[in-house]
Amino acid sequence: MIKGLTTVAQVASEQAFTQLGDLFRALGFEQGKGWIDAGGRGAAFLAPVGNLEFVTGRMPAVPSLLVEVTQLDSIHAGVKAWIVAHQRSEDVAAKLSEPVLTHWNSRLFTVELAPALRVGFWESENPLHNRPIAVEGDLSAAGKRFAIVVARWNAVITDRLLQGALDALHRSGCAKSDIEIVRVPGAWEIPSAARTLAESKRFAGIITLGVLLRGETAHYEAIYNEVARGIGQSQQETGVPHAFGVLTCETLEQALDRAGLKAGNKGFEAAIAAIEMASIQQKLTSQPQHELAEANS
Ligand code: DLZ
């Protein structure tokens, strides 16, 4: 089973070794597990995807170490600043090329980071190039309708969850007029309202918000199980994405933390999940699988 590729490059001095490490971390490489022994040391930098490319005939005019990136221009600016800081400004022109268009629909620049260490950084014009084939949802809510079902029980918390969900929808481009808010008495009533809304087929997603506090609810488990089951069932049977924003907490303090204090706002997170799932649903139902895979390749 193939696990990965490693390219080994020798660096002349300890100082260059440290400086290169600083540069690669600053460019966004994840630091891997290095090694040290009596004879020297190695620093590893990880990339999410690697290729081993054999070429026959004419070799492309590129360094043998190529790093595919996004935002090539800011990488270029970062490398330039690094050369100015660690070498001489006059070296920039000699060591760093400007990004140029390649014949394979990409832009590329090369840089000599150390003697005998030439690296090419390149960015494909196709933003999906080399990404694993996957259908992914967009985080755009523009032009889609969403319903929010929010329980009044524990309103001091659910109001905050609602604010979080509205914030996420608005910031993702959802128009005010495309959001319908339905207030129900407690968490117990969420599933039936969610189901009615989903069956109307007017919404791309349903966001459910509520808070169950164990301290106050003797039959907490029974209510929780039923609410979770009902929301899940509505989602599965109607095919409309339902985001689960029903908090289950031991104390009010815990709930407050999850409604915008210390642990984010679960209403915001639920709305983002609904937006993403609405987009995935749209893609899965509007385009055959093989076309989606081809579009992403
Ligand atoms: C009755 C009740 C209790 C004890 N606790 C909660 C709670 O912590 N969170 C919540 O959303 N609702 C609670 N409820 C109300 C029930 O969900 C339901 O609204 C009522 O039993 C009426 O059907």
Side-chain angles (χ1 to χ4, degrees):
M1 185 211 265
I2 308 297
K3 284 185 69 182
L5 290 173
T6 299
T7 300
V8 181
Q10 188 165 29
V11 182
S13 68
E14 272 292 312
Q15 193 194 22
F17 181 91
T18 308
Q19 290 173 354
L20 275 173
D22 291 344
L23 173 66
F24 273 55
R25 273 186 296 276
L27 293 179
F29 275 88
E30 187 187 334
Q31 178 102 50
K33 198 162 169 280
W35 55 268
I36 186 158
D37 64 20
R41 62 186 174 126
F45 294 92
L46 310 178
V49 182
N51 298 312
L52 174 60
E53 199 166 303
F54 294 117
V55 175
T56 180
R58 181 186 52 84
M59 272 295 279
V62 291
S64 58
L65 182 56
L66 287 174
V67 182
E68 184 178 358
V69 300
T70 58
Q71 298 171 339
L72 187 76
D73 295 309
S74 55
I75 298 278
H76 188 265
V79 172
K80 188 173 186 176
W82 181 84
I83 297 177
V84 171
H86 296 298
Q87 299 175 18
R88 297 173 315 158
S89 317
E90 307 88 85
D91 290 340
V92 170
K95 296 192 168 173
L96 178 69
S97 78
E98 287 303 313
V100 290
L101 269 175
T102 69
H103 64 274
W104 70 87
N105 208 19
S106 299
R107 290 191 313 133
L108 169 130
F109 73 84
T110 63
V111 55
E112 193 182 309
L113 292 173
L117 180 57
R118 239 178 113 231
V119 182
F121 289 89
W122 67 284
E123 178 175 25
S124 171
E125 300 278 274
N126 172 5
L128 294 175
H129 175 85
N130 235 350
R131 288 181 62 185
I133 293 172
V135 180
E136 286 176 291
D138 305 321
L139 293 182
S140 166
K144 296 193 180 83
R145 290 179 58 77
F146 288 86
I148 305 177
V149 185
V150 55
R152 269 199 308 271
W153 196 280
N154 295 319
V156 66
I157 317 274
T158 59
D159 278 349
R160 288 166 190 243
L161 296 177
L162 177 60
Q163 286 317 315
L166 290 171
D167 189 24
L169 287 171
H170 291 146
R171 284 161 63 176
S172 306
C174 192
K176 224 171 171 177
S177 55
D178 282 339
I179 303 171
E180 198 161 309
I181 301 169
V182 178
R183 289 186 190 271
V184 294
W188 180 257
E189 283 75 28
I190 292 176
S192 65
R195 174 112 194 186
T196 307
L197 290 161
E199 281 175 347
S200 75
K201 298 285 176 202
R202 289 188 296 126
F203 300 99
I206 314 282
I207 299 150
T208 62
L209 304 174
V211 176
L212 282 161
L213 292 180
R214 186 189 289 277
E216 293 173 14
T217 316
H219 47 311
Y220 170 92
E221 237 102 61
I223 296 189
Y224 173 73
N225 287 336
E226 211 35 39
V227 172
R229 194 191 57 78
I231 293 172
Q233 196 171 342
S234 175
Q235 163 165 263
Q236 282 145 20
E237 291 178 4
T238 62
V240 178
H242 289 45
F244 192 75
V246 180
L247 300 183
T248 50
C249 304
E250 298 293 321
T251 63
L252 191 65
E253 194 189 354
Q254 262 182 10
L256 272 169
D257 282 348
R258 292 173 199 174
L261 281 190
K262 292 186 197 148
N265 186 313
K266 300 297 169 196
F268 185 97
E269 290 171 23
I272 292 290
I275 294 165
E276 186 172 352
M277 284 309 299
S279 164
I280 289 178
Q281 187 79 357
Q282 194 177 43
K283 290 184 183 183
L284 291 180
T285 52
S286 63
Q287 230 177 331
Q289 283 298 295
H290 67 275
E291 281 179 21
L292 281 167
E294 275 161 23
N296 281 353
S297 66

